[in-house]
Amino acid sequence: MKYTDFDKSAGYAGLLEIANKSEAFDFKKMLNADRVKTCQTFLAEGLVYNWAAKSVDEKVLNALQALSDELELIPKYKALLEGEVMNTGEDRKVLHQLSRSLDEKTATGISVENEGRDLGAFYRKELIRFSEFTERVRSGEIGPAPGRRFTCFAQIGIGGSDLGPRALSLALENWAAAEGKITYRAEFISNVDPDDASKISSSLPLEETLFVLVSKSGTTQETLTNELFVKEKLKNAGLDPGKHMLAVTSETSPLANNPGYLDSFYFDDFIGGRYSSTSPVGGVILSLAYGNDVFKDLLIGAASADKAALNPDITKNAALLDALIGVWERNFLKMGCTCILPYSQALSRFPAHLQQLDMESNGKRVNRDGKPISYSTGPVIFGEPGTNGQHSFFQLLHQGTDIIPLQFIGFKQSQRKDDSVIDGSTSQAKLNANLAAQITAFAIGQGSDNGNKDFPGGRPVSLIYGDRLTPQALGALLAHFENKVMFQGFIWNLNSFDQEGVQLGKVLAKKILTKAGKSSGDPVLDAYGEILGV
Ligand code: F6P
């Protein structure tokens, strides 16, 4: 397998030539009803990726396919699945796809060993352990005290130990209720701002609450602080914290093997924080709140998207095509942002999860060997659910000076199916009418002699759509974006699986906190500390 910096590839040169020579893609001419219905590909679990309103013609598509073949994107994905060390900075395998394995074989039929240990078997063992445990909690067999049940669950974690599980929990809440699933309240505490832990813990019936402490490293300041914050509240309420807290961590963390927790569930360093939603990091809280059959359906959905991402034909591989088009926009059309717009309230925190997933993975300026690179890498990711976003930042998206590619997500049906006809249409119809309208307005625009009312169009748009946001569809959606980010990392020849860029701030914060009235040796740091009262 060859690892080449992107700008040294023939594919890069080919795409650059097309970008320099071709006239800009004419959305008004190119985008027609036929293109809307044909420029799309099956993603998985009934979801479809539509790229009709992307500035991609036959020539660009062929060049992207050639690039994918030349950079061996599918063989690299297969090597990752087979356990090759892809996290080069930390010398680790990358095995989050293996965590979706429900039976002897992984979704892709590959097994991975490390130092004689079958890792698929390890992940499955933990899945079985926490599935049994969570069912015993839900049935009341395990409770806080004889004759009492846990009725609320609260996860304490931050970053990858919070964003994905929180986004998924919100995404499942309405669906589970509408389907008549027995559901329990799930809350999340992440910020070290005391107002977060204080507000959530004081809103919970502590005597019936089980806290799920999640930290892979077991050293994250915010999470350990919030653990002690909550334990103090439990003690003050006359409760034994040991009977109200579980741990999810790695076997090598300082939190592991601690009898002070009701139980502990494990994953390992081969599953990065932002890729850990399908491990016990997301599995425990989702199983407690919605039942482990729901979580397993989510795993099935993720596994089927992982499988679909193996297709070498870019027009039949949604994650690969999405990644390649993103690179076309970022490196050749010079677009620096991507906006994620789910037209689904259930996905209200999904953009925040994708922000970490993408920006922590591909926000890098060195290649996988730590050598500087001189081309653009990961875009800025932001987003909000529609239609709320329309009444906020859409003005800039329609008429601002920068062109920002848009990634819409929509569903034909609502999750709750509790809807009314008002002014001749349901709310769901209004939601999707707005979605169709926005895509058309962004892509085609509308000319006017009045510059203020002129919509230039030409904003590239993709749409992922399906019938309804079910656990399977949600799992597929999650894996789609994980795989998109992975393919882009391969193209940019960087390591998408470490996050050195978050370390410096952690070190400096510690320096201020431990200087004990003295100078930290850094006058600027001290001055900022001083004006903030630290
Ligand atoms: O600060 C970034 C980070 O390292 C993320 O990558 C990670 O998801 C998060 O912190 C939490 O880490 P942990 O699970 O080890 O507490």
Side-chain angles (χ1 to χ4, degrees), residues 43 47-49 407-410 462-466 477 480-481:
L43 189 157
L47 297 181
V48 173
Y49 171 70
Q407 186 126 48
F408 285 91
I409 302 167
S462 68
L463 169 67
I464 293 173
Y465 68 94
L477 198 62
H480 169 83
F481 284 102

Side-chain angles (χ1 to χ4, degrees), residues 168-187:
L168 297 180
S169 178
L170 283 170
L172 291 170
E173 202 176 292
N174 282 329
W175 177 87
E179 291 302 303
K181 301 274 174 196
I182 299 169
T183 67
Y184 293 95
R185 186 172 160 197
E187 295 286 353

